[in-house]
Amino acid sequence: MTGLREKKKQQTRETIVAQAGRLFGSHGFHTTTMDEIATAAGVSTGTLYNYFGTKSTVLLAHLESRVSDMMDAGSALLADPPADVIRAVQTLTQLYLDRFIGLERELLGEVIAASFENRSDLLPELIRLDELLLHQLEALLGHFAEQGALADGIEVTDASIAIYGLFATQLIMYVSVDGTPAAALRRSLARQIEFLFTGLLAPER
């Protein structure tokens, strides 16, 4: 009986998150109300607040489902990565980028703002989600480090943070510059990653 109850709770939670994501995308995060989310999910407003104390935590759950999808896709890539390290890193980070920019722009802006504003209701979980993606990127670089594809002395963790910073910059550009096409973000991210790997120095003559 307990198992059935937990399954029902999980289904209700998933329905709330799915309906909230739909409303956020069509109406905007700030315009959507908790009452509207509850109605769309077929639950009372009180029940909604039992599952999620604030609209921000509903947003976080919606983002978490996106990150879970990213992790699954990233794991598939890690199982059979491209042979070239630059191509592999470009593929993984663009996989992340595509799924983030699939979010409604206002939602992504809310998430980025929470990161900068040190909001206690969102920041710890956002950091955890960032760390999941960072660790996956680190695992990919570790794979190539073991193959000797990276220079001696390269700290895989430091390299992962640098690459992740490039990815995060593209997200900020997407939110800040209205109308920025996704294809332009992908090209920019790919160029920056190639630049990071090749560096500033001219080849030896």
Side-chain angles (χ1 to χ4, degrees), residues 17 19 27-28 33 38 52 65 72-73 98 100 121 150 160 173 180:
V17 172
Q19 292 300 321
H27 294 78
T33 67
F52 300 99
S65 68
D72 290 343
D98 285 346
F100 268 118
D121 58 335
L150 301 183
S160 300
M173 286 291 294
T180 303

Side-chain angles (χ1 to χ4, degrees), residues 170-193:
Q170 295 307 310
L171 292 184
I172 294 171
M173 286 291 294
Y174 173 70
V175 170
S176 303
V177 183
D178 194 20
T180 303
L185 295 175
R186 294 188 195 100
R187 288 194 299 269
S188 179
L189 180 59
R191 286 195 308 270
Q192 290 171 15
I193 287 172

Side-chain angles (χ1 to χ4, degrees), residues 79-110:
D80 186 24
D84 177 73
V85 60
I86 296 178
R87 180 60 181 159
V89 172
Q90 287 171 332
T91 301
L92 181 61
T93 53
Q94 290 189 13
L95 179 155
Y96 295 163
L97 183 67
D98 285 346
R99 282 158 176 77
F100 268 118
I101 63 179
L103 287 168
E104 198 266 342
R105 193 183 298 264
E106 184 190 0
L107 291 187
L108 193 52
E110 184 73 13

Side-chain angles (χ1 to χ4, degrees), residues 23-24 26-34 36-37 55 106:
L23 288 171
F24 291 157
S26 59
H27 294 78
F29 174 75
H30 292 291
T31 303
T32 301
T33 67
M34 290 290 271
E36 288 172 335
I37 295 172
K55 189 167 61 171
E106 184 190 0

Side-chain angles (χ1 to χ4, degrees), residues 127-202:
I127 291 172
R128 187 186 73 82
L129 296 179
D130 277 337
E131 287 175 343
L132 288 175
L133 301 181
L134 267 169
H135 289 161
Q136 197 168 66
L137 180 56
E138 188 174 344
L140 180 63
L141 289 179
H143 163 77
F144 285 101
E146 289 175 359
Q147 292 186 341
L150 301 183
D152 291 341
I154 292 294
E155 289 289 342
V156 170
T157 299
D158 291 341
S160 300
I161 292 171
I163 293 166
Y164 196 76
L166 297 178
F167 157 71
T169 298
Q170 295 307 310
L171 292 184
I172 294 171
M173 286 291 294
Y174 173 70
V175 170
S176 303
V177 183
D178 194 20
T180 303
L185 295 175
R186 294 188 195 100
R187 288 194 299 269
S188 179
L189 180 59
R191 286 195 308 270
Q192 290 171 15
I193 287 172
E194 185 172 6
F195 172 77
L196 184 65
F197 272 92
T198 55
L200 290 170
L201 298 179

